[in-house]
Amino acid sequence: MPKKSGVILISLGAVLILAALLLFLHNRGEDRRAGQEAESLLEDARSAISANAAPEEPQEEPVEEITYDYAGVIAIPDLSLELPVIDRWSYDRLKIAPCRQSGAAPDGDLVIAAHNYKSHFGYLDRLQPGASVIFTDMEGTVYRYVVEEIRRLEPEDAEDVSSVFSSEYPRGLYTCTPGGKVRVAVFCQWD
């Protein structure tokens, strides 16, 4: 009987190791796909910014308000990141690129969320106070920020992440840690 239970336990262990390996490979593939999709969208966002940049001279006719699929482009030089920011947040859109969770850059309350993919905000917790964050909106206006504070938010603190980013900080970035149990929140001030 002990031999049979040993074989069962070894078989169960092998199955669990195989399942963990498959999950790891799936997550790596999803990360890679997200990086490739964000890279292709980045070119679209840059082109739209160039086409819609405010002209040097004021226009005489009123300009019709245009809605965009993108909020703009975010650059975090210390992480070697430049990514498009999709205008509306959803779980499906987060699989493609960072999304505007709430607010707007001109209003000083912009919050951007992204998955913890290495190609997105996976290294957000490596930022240090003083790091530069640059956001270019769809009209070509460049907003420069400096990282002021990095916090880990427990699940009970992260229920409404947007409310955690107060009026003290005009820019907030956040992502999950691996496993999704804690959020990494980066608070930025105007540079």
Side-chain angles (χ1 to χ4, degrees):
M1 206 52 154
K3 206 174 209 182
K4 187 175 183 181
S5 64
V7 169
I8 291 173
L9 289 176
I10 289 173
S11 298
L12 180 61
V15 167
L16 291 175
I17 289 171
L18 180 61
L21 178 62
L22 290 173
L23 181 61
F24 172 78
L25 292 174
H26 170 76
N27 288 341
R28 292 285 300 204
E30 193 171 284
D31 189 345
R32 187 178 60 257
R33 279 188 300 279
Q36 291 168 344
E37 288 187 47
E39 187 64 33
S40 70
L41 291 179
L42 180 59
E43 290 305 315
D44 291 344
R46 284 181 186 152
S47 295
I49 288 169
S50 295
N52 295 306
E56 296 295 321
E57 300 174 15
Q59 294 182 352
E60 294 179 18
E61 297 179 25
V63 178
E64 181 181 321
E65 187 173 326
I66 303 170
T67 58
Y68 300 98
D69 294 329
Y70 304 105
V73 172
I74 186 168
I76 307 173
D78 285 8
L79 299 179
S80 300
L81 279 181
E82 184 175 19
L83 296 164
V85 178
I86 297 174
D87 192 40
R88 288 182 207 88
W89 179 95
S90 76
Y91 285 111
D92 289 336
R93 290 179 177 137
L94 279 178
K95 290 181 179 181
I96 299 168
C99 296
R100 182 180 64 84
Q101 173 79 25
S102 63
D107 298 338
D109 61 353
L110 180 62
V111 177
I112 298 174
H115 269 308
N116 62 4
Y117 300 142
K118 291 175 184 174
S119 58
H120 291 177
F121 283 4
Y123 296 117
L124 205 58
D125 61 343
R126 293 184 181 177
L127 284 176
Q128 297 293 318
S132 178
V133 176
I134 303 159
F135 179 76
T136 305
D137 71 14
M138 294 308 294
E139 283 74 38
T141 305
V142 177
Y143 298 88
R144 297 182 183 279
Y145 306 90
V146 63
V147 173
E148 184 82 13
E149 181 181 355
I150 297 119
R151 277 192 243 163
R152 288 186 175 264
L153 302 175
E154 296 300 322
E156 60 272 6
D157 297 331
E159 286 298 317
D160 181 11
V161 176
S162 297
S163 68
V164 175
F165 296 100
S166 67
S167 60
E168 294 178 46
Y169 299 103
R171 160 61 64 77
L173 310 172
Y174 78 95
T175 191
C176 306
T177 57
K181 294 185 179 184
V182 178
R183 304 289 184 265
V184 174
V186 174
F187 300 87
C188 301
Q189 284 289 2
W190 299 108
D191 188 12

